Amino acid sequence: MLIKQSADIPSSEITPRDLYLNRRRFLAGIGLSAVVAGLGIKELVSPSSEALATEKIDGIQKSAFSTTEKVTPINDVSHYNNYYEFSTEKEDPAKLAKDFKTRPWSVTVDGLVAKKQKWDIDAIMKFASPEERIYRHRCVEGWSIVVPWVGFSLSELIKRAEPLGKAKFVEFTSIHDPAQMPGQRQQILNWPYVEGLRMDEAMHPLTLLCFGMYGASLPNQDGAPLRLVVPWKYGFKSAKAIVKISFTDRQPSTTWNEANPHDFGFYSNVNPNVNRYHSQAHERRLGEFRPRPTLMFNGYDQVAGLYSGLDLAKNY
Ligand SMILES: Nc1nc2c(c(=O)[nH]1)N[C@H]1C(S)=C(S)[C@@H](COP(=O)(O)O)O[C@H]1N2
Ligand SMILES: [Mo]
């Protein structure tokens, strides 16, 4: 009997993920999320996280850098992604990156360093004990999330490269693989995706070389196998699927600055007082309706000293 059969299938198995997210956002938008949670509808439409092809990471240490704020549910974080190599639509990377190959994977470290080397990803992951860093993450488009990332300070890699005295900047290059990445078959951005940090920003203990989240390896759509997380900067500074880290004496060009220099500067520090792209004064946590004020440096005041003497309205 058809009717009985379909009633037997839990809706979690027949509801597409993107429908789930859209529905939740729609419900949140009309202020019904509390009602929905009370009725248990959320459970009915929630996709299972088992679908994520991730592996548990052992021996994760807690970090003093973690915020105690409420963590955003993993299914929101892994189904609402900016990843233009796959798509400009935020619900697409979860589907389109499903079969992306993250092994074998190597990362070239070159430029102004004593130890130029091509590292295997599995060797990099053993540079230090993995830490869980629960960071706020702020996208320039106005949404924010709180994520328990897993990794360790980028400085662990930098010190192994032994940068020369003239190395003043670090450039990060994401993978270029149009066969696997449909977005790269179009000239939406200049490929490959490149980002950069000043040497002192790269060496700051908050700057995370990240290979996991929520206790497991990164889902492909979140930047597997290796990404950066720079919590006091807008999300686009945190390059995904990194294949090269180069040390230079000149400020590197960055993909978003090339695409739109007016809106996207080299620094891109979270700054509620600088209107770029649109007003940055407020943000909305994924899954929440009420906007909250955005904090200077995304609340990471300990980096303020890196910019003393710099006009942040000009150096945005
Ligand atoms: N290679 C690459 N890295 C990228 C992007 C991208 O399109 N390609 N998008 C950036 C932007 S705009 C944001 S907000 C974050 C999103 O990370 P998340 O999907 O894990 O939330 O990734 C950043 N890193
Ligand atoms: Mo972003």
Side-chain angles (χ1 to χ4, degrees):
M1 269 167 49
L2 268 176
I3 293 170
K4 174 132 196 324
Q5 252 182 2
S6 58
D8 284 340
I9 303 170
S11 32
S12 59
E13 286 177 31
I14 53 172
T15 308
R17 261 151 244 272
D18 48 349
L19 184 63
Y20 148 78
L21 257 189
N22 286 339
R23 177 134 38 134
R24 274 202 59 194
R25 218 154 269 119
F26 166 74
L27 292 168
I30 55 174
L32 277 180
S33 44
V35 180
V36 170
L39 292 174
I41 292 172
K42 184 177 173 295
E43 280 70 36
L44 284 176
V45 298
S46 180
S48 69
S49 51
E50 292 149 19
L52 295 172
T54 58
E55 269 172 59
K56 187 177 170 291
I57 296 172
D58 293 322
I60 300 176
Q61 323 272 310
K62 300 265 176 247
S63 165
F65 292 130
S66 289
T67 171
T68 54
E69 285 167 81
K70 187 172 163 283
V71 165
T72 307
I74 185 171
N75 281 309
D76 287 2
V77 172
S78 59
H79 291 83
Y80 194 74
N81 303 99
N82 264 350
Y83 205 165
Y84 278 31
E85 284 89 337
F86 288 101
S87 171
T88 56
E89 296 296 323
K90 295 180 189 16
E91 278 87 2
D92 285 351
K95 290 172 278 186
L96 298 175
K98 202 160 51 71
D99 299 320
F100 180 64
K101 300 251 173 311
T102 59
R103 291 295 187 287
W105 191 279
S106 54
V107 180
T108 300
V109 177
D110 67 7
L112 302 174
V113 292
K115 299 256 163 75
K116 289 184 192 161
Q117 198 163 335
K118 203 168 175 175
W119 290 99
D120 187 79
I121 180 65
D122 295 305
I124 292 176
M125 285 168 60
K126 291 189 193 107
F127 283 173
S129 305
E131 288 171 36
E132 178 172 84
R133 301 258 187 101
I134 307 174
Y135 281 164
R136 289 180 291 276
H137 181 88
R138 169 70 156 80
C139 179
V140 73
E141 290 166 60
W143 45 274
S144 66
I145 46 185
V146 176
V147 183
W149 302 111
V150 180
F152 42 72
S153 293
L154 174 66
S155 63
E156 293 288 348
L157 179 143
I158 296 179
K159 70 185 187 203
R160 282 167 178 81
E162 298 179 18
L164 308 180
K166 22 180 206 190
K168 298 284 183 255
F169 294 91
V170 191
E171 183 189 64
F172 304 88
T173 307
S174 297
I175 192 173
H176 183 71
D177 190 350
Q180 288 201 78
M181 302 174 122
Q184 283 187 331
R185 290 172 221 151
Q186 290 169 279
Q187 193 61 39
I188 309 160
L189 294 171
N190 294 335
W191 307 117
Y193 190 97
V194 284
E195 258 306 336
L197 294 174
R198 224 168 52 186
M199 193 69 174
D200 56 347
E201 298 177 318
M203 284 298 290
H204 194 281
L206 279 174
T207 302
L208 188 72
L209 190 65
C210 171
F211 44 81
M213 63 184 213
Y214 301 84
S217 58
L218 284 169
N220 292 339
Q221 60 268 33
D222 290 277
L226 193 70
R227 66 173 295 168
L228 209 59
V229 179
V230 193
W232 70 94
K233 292 178 182 278
Y234 291 112
F236 64 89
K237 296 297 286 181
S238 297
K240 296 177 169 178
I242 293 170
V243 292
K244 192 154 83 101
I245 301 178
S246 297
F247 293 75
T248 65
D249 52 1
R250 290 213 198 127
Q251 185 175 300
S253 179
T254 68
T255 298
W256 281 107
N257 182 253
E258 287 168 20
N260 180 348
H262 176 78
D263 284 341
F264 307 118
F266 176 77
Y267 285 96
S268 295
N269 290 320
V270 174
N271 190 337
N273 310 312
V274 170
N275 295 338
R276 281 292 184 282
Y277 195 68
H278 53 65
S279 166
Q280 297 299 330
H282 292 90
E283 66 196 66
R284 195 172 286 175
R285 286 275 151 86
L286 230 53
E288 289 182 8
F289 178 59
R290 196 190 305 269
R292 33 170 103 213
T294 284
L295 304 172
M296 188 68 205
F297 300 122
N298 203 21
Y300 294 96
D301 298 328
Q302 60 265 59
V303 301
L306 297 177
Y307 309 104
S308 54
L310 201 67
D311 180 347
L312 294 178
K314 287 201 184 105
N315 297 280
Y316 55 82

